[in-house]
Amino acid sequence: MSSMNRREFLQILAAASAAGFALDSRLAWAGGKGDAFYDLPRFGNVHLMHFTDCHAQLLPLYFREPSVNLGIGGAAGRAPHLVGEHLLKAFGIKPGGIEAHAFTYLNFEKAAKTYGKVGGFAHLATLVKRLRAGRPNALLLDGGDTWQGSATALWSKGQDMVDACKLLGVDMMSAHWEFTLGDKRVLEIVEKDLKGRTEFLAQNVKTADFGDKVFEPYAMREMNGVKVAVVGQAFPYTPIANPRWMIPEWTFGIQDDNMQKTVDEARAKGAQVVVLLSHNGMDVDLKMASRVTGIDAILGGHTHDGVPRPVVVSNARGKTLVTNAGSNGKFLGVLDFDVKGGRISDFRYKLLPIFSGLLPADAEMNALIDKVRAPHKAKLEEKLAVSEGLLYRRGNFNGSWDQLILDAIMEVQGADIGFSPGFRWGTTILPGQAITFEHLMDQTAISYPQATLTEMKGEQIKTILEDVGDNLFNPDPYYQQGGDMVRVGGLEYTCDPNEKIGKRIQDMRLGGKPLDADKTYKVAGWAPVAEGARGEPVWDVVARYLRDKKTIAPRKLNQPKLVAMKGNAGIG
């Protein structure tokens, strides 16, 4: 985990040239230490650092950005629904360079070998310390989806990530997947581990009986003579997207009216800068920014969109910057405001990709990570199989990791059709790389992991696909309940995202024959939200499949045929 020496760095330069990549001139001057690449001069007097959706990834990793991120209706052709060359053109990023690799899927395999892994909390810690040294009293904000996503996070009930974030110096956070640890565990962490250290903020979480606040809605800090308020927004659809029984006494929701009251209250108490730390998803944030006034910036998460520059949204009383800082510990957003006479006069924003080869590992964080992993090292590093193809997940429809999981649960359970949740998290595997048990857990580590085999009629299958499709493609962001399209195995279908619910899913076929609405089919799945569901953990099912195969051939993706999407900037 140490930083590269000059010889190693020159070797990377040579490899990049041979592979046809043009290294950014700032990187070339970095000398392998990232000094130039991460040189971000101080600006103004209010400083905020933001990461989100790290999904418990403590180590550096590979992570491929999506090649499909469709924008529907008014969202078409604008951030965050831009991929590949469309994204590069929109943000003026040079093709073939290190930033093009960070923000797009283009030439992913070659670029990943050239530039190495991204993220890792020890490298993030180094960057945070470096930036804090030049930004007095800067706040570090965590957008949530932090305590879930790895084997050690699951086995420790989030404790490994809580300890890592305390060491990192997180000042404030909001949440989503944290709630799948259950209400009692969340409160235990908030009241014991975070108290006096980290503010757990969520203005939209209330008790179901009397509507009392469960967590603090916002926190105030004075920074370099400026009063700053940070409002928290937990994922609004947590009880729908995840098991309701884990948080039975709490209500969620978007709650625009309450958000406006909260912002107004913070302003009345003297806040000169108001920032929303959001887990809404970027489309929801864009709409909220047009409706709720008085928010200077939204530091957003949930949809895992790495957006290089803020989107400026106008509303009745001003403008709001809307950002989203990617996922898996791959990025750190830095927002600086210059406040003069009680008003923001200017700002600077930079979304910094974290390349572990350019940032030395922080020794103290490294020691903590080693301690967390030590008891489980042998199990985590078990080699289950070798992948001949690229395994990735991120995208609106099946990724190759999703396809592998589907192939496994269908074969092992003898199913006609497979469903796998439209999760966005999960590390990427390069061709020729061994698939370890840890890699498998990166895709499946949740607190309701049961693999299921259910008999469903064709009509019911159609209804499920239509319902999930509406969550993703409803033109009103406030009706989008998060996640990507359910991953489908065995069943072929056509999808028209522009249609209304009930008409998006067409021409469903199994083995070339039309799906019979009245016929019963065996459907394999996992991650049931109903309480009391039984079944073997999905990682055990997939692990058996991988051990048996030993070598995993490149996956043939079962992608739907898309209608009326030609020219959409969300398709690479």
Side-chain angles (χ1 to χ4, degrees):
M1 283 190 171
S2 61
S3 61
M4 294 181 289
N5 61 36
R6 182 168 179 80
R7 176 179 292 179
E8 291 169 332
F9 183 68
L10 291 173
Q11 289 173 343
I12 278 188
L13 286 177
S17 176
F21 294 109
L23 273 167
D24 189 295
S25 60
R26 289 178 298 156
L27 177 62
W29 283 105
K33 299 178 182 178
D35 295 340
F37 190 72
Y38 295 108
D39 181 19
L40 201 62
R42 178 186 174 185
F43 176 83
N45 47 7
V46 171
H47 313 293
L48 305 165
M49 295 179 289
H50 171 235
F51 71 95
T52 188
D53 297 276
C54 74
H55 285 283
Q57 294 302 316
L58 289 172
L59 296 180
L61 48 84
Y62 297 112
F63 186 78
R64 178 190 183 272
E65 296 298 323
S67 53
V68 182
N69 187 359
L70 297 175
I72 304 301
R78 71 177 194 181
H81 302 287
L82 302 168
V83 302
E85 293 175 357
H86 302 292
L87 184 147
L88 298 183
K89 184 177 180 180
F91 292 102
I93 298 173
K94 180 175 61 177
I98 193 169
E99 288 177 306
H101 172 52
F103 289 104
T104 75
Y105 69 93
L106 297 170
N107 301 308
F108 178 80
E109 292 177 32
K110 288 184 178 180
K113 292 176 182 177
T114 299
Y115 300 124
K117 293 183 177 181
V118 295
F121 258 54
H123 306 276
L124 173 62
T126 295
L127 182 57
V128 167
K129 286 181 179 179
R130 184 175 296 182
L131 292 169
R132 270 189 162 143
R135 286 169 166 75
N137 304 307
L139 293 176
L140 178 60
L141 309 179
D142 171 5
D145 278 8
T146 304
W147 306 346
Q148 176 276 333
S150 73
T152 55
L154 181 68
W155 296 336
S156 69
K157 297 181 180 178
Q159 193 64 48
D160 65 332
M161 297 308 302
V162 172
D163 293 342
C165 286
K166 285 162 62 178
L167 184 57
L168 190 65
V170 171
D171 294 291
M172 302 170 192
M173 70 174 293
S174 198
H176 169 204
W177 273 91
E178 285 74 8
F179 297 116
T180 64
L181 294 175
D183 51 4
K184 292 180 177 59
R185 177 59 177 153
V186 171
L187 290 175
E188 179 184 37
I189 292 172
V190 171
E191 293 167 2
K192 292 183 179 180
D193 289 277
L194 304 187
K195 193 170 185 178
R197 287 175 171 264
T198 304
E199 299 277 3
F200 191 99
L201 305 174
Q203 73 86 24
N204 59 329
V205 180
K206 299 179 175 60
T207 60
D209 48 9
F210 299 110
D212 297 328
K213 67 180 183 182
V214 178
F215 308 103
E216 290 300 319
Y218 68 98
M220 294 274 281
R221 293 287 188 275
E222 185 167 314
M223 186 187 306
N224 308 318
V226 179
K227 284 190 175 180
V228 179
V230 178
V231 182
Q233 175 88 341
F235 179 52
Y237 293 107
T238 298
I240 298 173
N242 306 103
R244 178 70 174 135
W245 57 269
M246 292 181 169
I247 41 169
E249 305 301 327
W250 299 346
T251 64
F252 290 71
I254 295 173
Q255 301 186 26
D256 274 356
D257 291 344
N258 199 62
M259 178 66 75
Q260 187 66 71
K261 291 176 183 176
T262 303
V263 172
D264 292 346
E265 179 182 316
R267 290 285 184 186
K269 290 185 176 179
Q272 296 163 285
V273 175
V274 176
V275 172
L276 173 58
L277 180 60
S278 166
H279 207 92
N280 279 331
M282 190 161 180
D283 286 330
V284 175
D285 285 336
L286 289 167
K287 181 174 179 177
M288 178 173 280
S290 72
R291 292 162 59 94
V292 178
T293 62
I295 300 174
D296 295 304
I298 299 178
L299 301 178
H302 179 62
T303 38
H304 293 199
D305 301 306
V307 181
R309 289 200 305 271
V311 176
V312 182
V313 178
S314 298
N315 54 53
R317 288 170 50 193
K319 298 182 185 297
T320 299
L321 307 176
V322 179
T323 73
N324 202 287
S327 68
N328 285 267
K330 185 178 177 180
F331 296 101
L332 181 69
V334 183
L335 177 61
D336 295 323
F337 284 118
D338 189 22
V339 180
K340 296 177 180 177
R343 299 176 62 87
I344 295 172
S345 64
D346 202 356
F347 77 93
R348 298 286 185 273
Y349 179 78
K350 184 71 174 179
L351 186 57
L352 292 169
I354 298 168
F355 284 93
S356 57
L358 295 180
L359 289 163
D362 178 78
E364 194 175 4
M365 185 66 77
N366 227 3
L368 174 63
I369 294 170
D370 288 343
K371 180 180 178 182
V372 164
R373 294 173 56 80
H376 313 290
K377 188 174 175 62
K379 187 170 185 177
L380 293 171
E381 295 179 355
E382 180 195 356
K383 294 181 180 179
L384 302 174
V386 173
S387 178
E388 294 181 337
L390 182 72
L391 294 179
Y392 64 91
R393 170 176 271 170
R394 180 75 172 93
N396 285 161
F397 302 101
N398 285 19
S400 48
W401 249 120
D402 301 298
Q403 192 66 54
L404 176 57
I405 292 171
L406 287 165
D407 293 344
I409 63 176
M410 290 172 63
E411 180 174 317
V412 172
Q413 298 188 102
D416 305 307
I417 297 169
F419 284 163
S420 187
F423 294 149
R424 295 189 178 98
W425 38 270
T427 56
T428 299
I429 299 289
L430 298 183
Q433 190 176 348
I435 304 171
T436 65
F437 187 76
E438 181 169 25
H439 292 142
L440 175 57
M441 291 299 285
D442 288 347
Q443 314 296 321
T444 59
I446 64 175
S447 53
Y448 50 106
Q450 295 81 6
T452 59
L453 184 63
T454 309
E455 290 190 345
M456 295 184 187
K457 289 188 178 294
E459 182 180 16
Q460 186 180 1
I461 293 169
K462 169 81 154 59
T463 299
I464 290 172
L465 293 177
E466 288 283 4
D467 185 57
V468 179
D470 196 58
N471 289 343
L472 180 61
F473 298 123
N474 193 301
D476 186 341
Y478 279 20
Y479 289 94
Q480 297 171 7
Q481 295 173 6
D484 281 309
M485 187 65 181
V486 61
R487 284 57 168 112
V488 181
L491 180 71
E492 297 176 341
Y493 68 99
T494 296
C495 178
D496 186 346
N498 288 313
E499 272 287 4
K500 295 180 179 180
I501 188 169
K503 295 183 178 180
R504 287 192 182 92
I505 308 302
Q506 307 162 8
D507 193 26
M508 297 185 298
R509 293 179 177 270
L510 188 61
K513 297 179 180 179
L515 200 71
D516 188 332
D518 297 319
K519 185 177 178 180
T520 298
Y521 301 90
K522 290 182 179 179
V523 180
W526 66 284
V529 297
E531 187 173 8
R534 296 183 178 182
E536 189 178 11
V538 68
W539 51 77
D540 286 342
V541 175
V542 179
R544 282 205 307 277
Y545 175 89
L546 293 173
R547 292 187 189 107
D548 180 61
K549 300 294 182 185
K550 295 183 176 59
T551 300
I552 301 300
R555 297 293 94 180
K556 181 180 178 182
L557 299 188
N558 184 42
Q559 301 275 30
K561 178 183 177 182
L562 295 176
V563 174
M565 287 291 108
K566 187 176 181 180
N568 191 294
I571 299 179

